[in-house]
Amino acid sequence: MTEIKQTTIETVVDNLMYLQPLLSKSFSKQMRTKTNLNPGSLFIMGVLSVHKTLSMSDIGRKLSMPKPHVTVLIDKLIEEEMVERIADLSDRRIVNIHITEKGITQFQNIKQEISEEMRQQLQQLTKEQLTTLVTATQQVRELLIISFGKPSGCPNTKNQAS
Amino acid sequence: MTEIKQTTIETVVDNLMYLQPLLSKSFSKQMRTKTNLNPGSLFIMGVLSVHKTLSMSDIGRKLSMPKPHVTVLIDKLIEEEMVERIADLSDRRIVNIHITEKGITQFQNIKQEISEEMRQQLQQLTKEQLTTLVTATQQVRELLIISFGKPSGCPNTKNQAS
DNA sequence: TGTAATAGTTGTATCTTTGTAACCATTATG
DNA sequence: CATAATGGTTACAAAGATACAACTATTACA
């Protein structure tokens, strides 16, 4: 019934929607058990491991995470010495978050632990399939960054004082 | 410092970890605003739109969602007539969940709304990039299903009565 | 038949995330 | 200079998800 002719974009949406649960299955689970960090903190460590230093708002934008939430998570990460607050010289409102050496190695360790666990699962793939997966994930990552890596704002930036 | 030579699997993990926030940015947000369904229910509709009928445990396994949580979400979906409970004939313990016609069309509509929103974002890509994205997401989807689409159990299957 | 295992439900406590609102400090703008 | 806008923080409420524990019903097994 109902002929379903999908557009290109609908196919992408379809695929991406199916990816979400698969991803959470593949390691959100691992995260919860293997680390003392909650998912949100892990994501922050993820972007910081790439960008090294980001302002609070940058983090919120990149992860579309409400600013109050970012504050709370950063507080915890600072307690564990994974990151540090650094005042911005040019704009004193801005608080820059910098990943520490400890944070870098700790995050590296976490990723390796997860990789270890995933190795078992991924070994079901042939050498060619694994190569394809590397390329494909890389492409998806890059193309989604182009499409969605933009500012686009994060919550609690409301100040529509009437 | 610390020479980082990534293995193939570590690269995959790296990419997948970066994907998670991008995905939630790209439509977890949309979901929250565009539908009256919460993310969990959407995921259930996602697997049901593919498999049409699944037992409660199947759903829990596919989404690695605790069984009690599945029960709650299914209750809501039934209220909205998106799915229906069907007793299993061969094993009377099993409750099969079947997506309704309404559920199919509703879910289709939701996907189209999300697609509409995403179109704007994805139009920043060239025709070639978009083609690449379709192929890449398809590949990632298929390969992750091979790797992680297995049973693997879901919580609350504990019955180690001592 | 008795016991263990499986499928599912109910209930509760806790954690995580989101959404607001109010607030301070600083910068930008008229 | 007055005011608006931005960057961050604090606090609180509500939604969503996870983890347990206990329980029923049914099936598998010895």
Side-chain angles (χ1 to χ4, degrees):
Chain A
M1 61 220 71
T2 57
E3 47 170 310
I4 302 167
K5 47 174 175 179
Q6 279 200 139
T7 66
T8 306
I9 290 181
E10 277 166 7
T11 307
V12 172
V13 170
D14 221 38
N15 290 334
L16 292 182
M17 283 190 78
Y18 213 95
L19 243 55
Q20 191 102 316
L22 282 174
L23 285 183
S24 87
K25 181 163 191 174
S26 49
F27 44 21
S28 285
K29 302 295 145 182
Q30 319 271 357
M31 288 180 183
R32 221 171 297 282
T33 57
K34 302 244 174 235
T35 79
N36 48 339
L37 299 177
N38 50 29
S41 301
L42 249 307
F43 292 151
I44 291 180
M45 291 304 291
V47 292
L48 282 178
S49 74
V50 173
H51 298 94
K52 306 308 177 196
T53 301
L54 289 171
S55 74
M56 297 292 287
S57 292
D58 286 340
I59 294 172
R61 272 189 290 268
K62 285 203 182 295
L63 302 177
S64 18
M65 195 181 274
K67 279 202 286 187
H69 194 202
V70 177
T71 300
V72 173
L73 295 184
I74 288 294
D75 282 346
K76 288 182 192 163
L77 286 173
I78 286 176
E79 271 182 32
E80 309 197 31
E81 298 172 319
M82 305 283 272
V83 303
E84 52 191 355
R85 264 183 246 261
I86 295 178
D88 192 289
L89 298 175
S90 60
D91 187 337
R92 287 160 56 196
R93 288 172 302 184
I94 296 175
V95 176
N96 288 307
I97 305 301
H98 185 73
I99 189 169
T100 62
E101 278 301 319
K102 179 180 174 185
I104 292 175
T105 58
Q106 292 273 92
F107 186 65
Q108 197 68 26
N109 290 342
I110 291 170
K111 281 204 292 188
Q112 273 177 11
E113 271 194 90
I114 294 176
S115 300
E116 212 52 53
E117 206 74 24
M118 274 184 120
R119 194 179 309 279
Q120 301 175 3
Q121 307 288 332
L122 292 177
Q123 265 167 356
Q124 300 175 46
L125 300 180
T126 66
K127 209 179 181 72
E128 288 77 26
Q129 285 176 323
L130 196 52
T131 308
T132 304
L133 186 59
V134 174
T135 311
T137 52
Q138 192 71 37
Q139 288 172 334
V140 174
R141 174 176 173 171
E142 284 168 5
L143 294 174
L144 286 189
I145 287 176
I146 295 177
S147 305
F148 299 98
K150 293 294 174 56
S152 93
C154 66
N156 198 18
T157 314
K158 323 280 172 71
N159 35 342
Q160 65 290 44
S162 60
Chain B
M1 58 222 70
T2 58
E3 46 170 311
I4 302 166
K5 47 174 177 181
Q6 279 200 139
T7 66
T8 306
I9 289 180
E10 278 165 8
T11 308
V12 172
V13 169
D14 221 37
N15 290 335
L16 292 182
M17 284 190 77
Y18 212 95
L19 243 56
Q20 191 102 318
L22 282 174
L23 285 183
S24 87
K25 182 164 192 175
S26 49
F27 45 19
S28 286
K29 302 295 146 181
Q30 320 270 0
M31 287 181 183
R32 223 170 295 283
T33 57
K34 300 243 173 238
T35 78
N36 48 339
L37 299 176
N38 49 28
S41 301
L42 250 306
F43 293 152
I44 292 180
M45 292 304 291
V47 292
L48 283 178
S49 75
V50 173
H51 298 92
K52 306 307 176 196
T53 301
L54 289 171
S55 74
M56 297 294 286
S57 294
D58 286 340
I59 294 172
R61 271 190 291 269
K62 286 204 181 295
L63 303 177
S64 19
M65 194 180 274
K67 278 202 286 187
H69 194 201
V70 177
T71 300
V72 172
L73 296 184
I74 288 295
D75 282 347
K76 288 182 192 163
L77 286 174
I78 286 176
E79 270 182 32
E80 309 196 31
E81 298 172 318
M82 305 284 273
V83 303
E84 51 191 356
R85 264 182 246 259
I86 297 177
D88 191 290
L89 298 175
S90 60
D91 186 338
R92 287 161 56 197
R93 290 173 300 182
I94 296 176
V95 176
N96 288 306
I97 306 301
H98 184 73
I99 189 169
T100 62
E101 277 302 318
K102 178 179 174 185
I104 291 175
T105 56
Q106 292 273 92
F107 186 65
Q108 198 66 26
N109 290 343
I110 291 171
K111 282 203 290 187
Q112 274 175 11
E113 272 194 88
I114 295 176
S115 300
E116 213 50 55
E117 206 73 24
M118 273 184 121
R119 195 180 308 278
Q120 300 175 3
Q121 306 288 332
L122 292 177
Q123 264 166 356
Q124 301 174 46
L125 301 179
T126 66
K127 208 177 179 74
E128 289 77 25
Q129 285 176 324
L130 196 52
T131 309
T132 305
L133 185 60
V134 174
T135 311
T137 52
Q138 192 72 36
Q139 288 172 334
V140 174
R141 174 177 173 170
E142 285 169 5
L143 294 174
L144 286 188
I145 287 176
I146 295 176
S147 306
F148 299 98
K150 293 297 175 55
S152 94
C154 66
N156 198 17
T157 314
K158 324 280 172 69
N159 35 341
Q160 66 290 44
S162 58

